[in-house]
Amino acid sequence: MARYSVLIVDDEADFREIVTKQLTRRDLHCESAADGDSALELITAHPFDVVLLDVKMPGRDGTDTLREIKRIAPMTEVIMLTGHATVESGINGIKYGAFDYLMKPMDIEPLMEKLDAAFERKRIQQEKIDAQQGKRDMARPNEG
């Protein structure tokens, strides 16, 4: 069983394929999208724990896609990928809610460290929400 789910969003097919294979070998459930609109359709249909999101894509760029991901799936952590973009683009993504950013190309180990850290943050936040919800449920009188 997969440890957690990752959506890879990048307009470069070879990059998506390589990263998907590498992450699947490490027991992660991976899906991919070639652009922001496709990514948003997938996220709306099926929640992901972490999204790897390229900053520079044709059509809807990474920053716009990030804002929309955070609107429809606020618990999903997003790691921005910058290639031709400047570090400023990645930092700008953090301002809009990204977990962190990585420069492309990157080695698999630093990528795994970022993915694991992003998933851990999501897991802790979800536990806090679940605990708060449990307290609210216990405070309500039993109906039935």
Side-chain angles (χ1 to χ4, degrees):
M1 182 162 164
R3 295 186 298 141
Y4 55 89
S5 60
V6 178
L7 176 61
I8 301 154
V9 186
D10 197 296
D11 58 316
E12 296 175 39
D14 289 344
F15 177 82
R16 288 193 316 270
E17 186 178 323
I18 290 166
V19 173
T20 297
K21 284 179 182 176
Q22 289 177 329
L23 297 182
T24 301
R25 278 191 220 123
R26 287 164 172 80
D27 295 326
L28 302 184
H29 170 78
C30 294
E31 292 187 40
S32 66
D35 57 58
D37 290 331
S38 300
L40 294 171
E41 286 177 25
L42 285 169
I43 290 167
T44 301
H46 165 304
F48 289 88
D49 295 308
V50 183
V51 175
L52 276 178
L53 178 61
D54 192 19
V55 171
K56 294 280 188 192
M57 296 182 291
R60 186 187 295 260
D61 73 2
T63 303
D64 188 39
T65 303
L66 166 66
R67 283 193 226 140
E68 192 63 15
I69 289 170
K70 286 301 189 176
R71 188 185 70 74
I72 61 176
M75 293 297 294
T76 300
E77 293 294 348
V78 179
I79 298 171
M80 304 296 287
L81 299 173
T82 64
H84 347 281
T86 64
V87 171
E88 190 176 313
S89 308
I91 292 169
N92 199 31
I94 292 171
K95 185 168 66 175
Y96 293 113
F99 175 77
D100 209 340
Y101 69 95
L102 282 168
M103 297 291 292
K104 289 189 337 187
M106 71 278 191
D107 292 327
I108 188 66
E109 290 314 314
L111 172 59
M112 283 304 302
E113 287 171 14
K114 290 264 196 245
L115 288 170
D116 288 344
F119 174 70
E120 184 64 12
R121 182 164 95 176
K122 180 193 188 254
R123 188 187 63 74
I124 290 168
Q125 287 175 338
Q126 189 63 56
E127 282 178 3
K128 287 178 185 175
I129 289 169
D130 292 347
Q132 288 174 340
Q133 184 63 44
K135 286 179 189 174
R136 278 195 290 267
D137 291 346
M138 291 179 76
R140 290 189 193 126
N142 246 354
E143 296 176 22

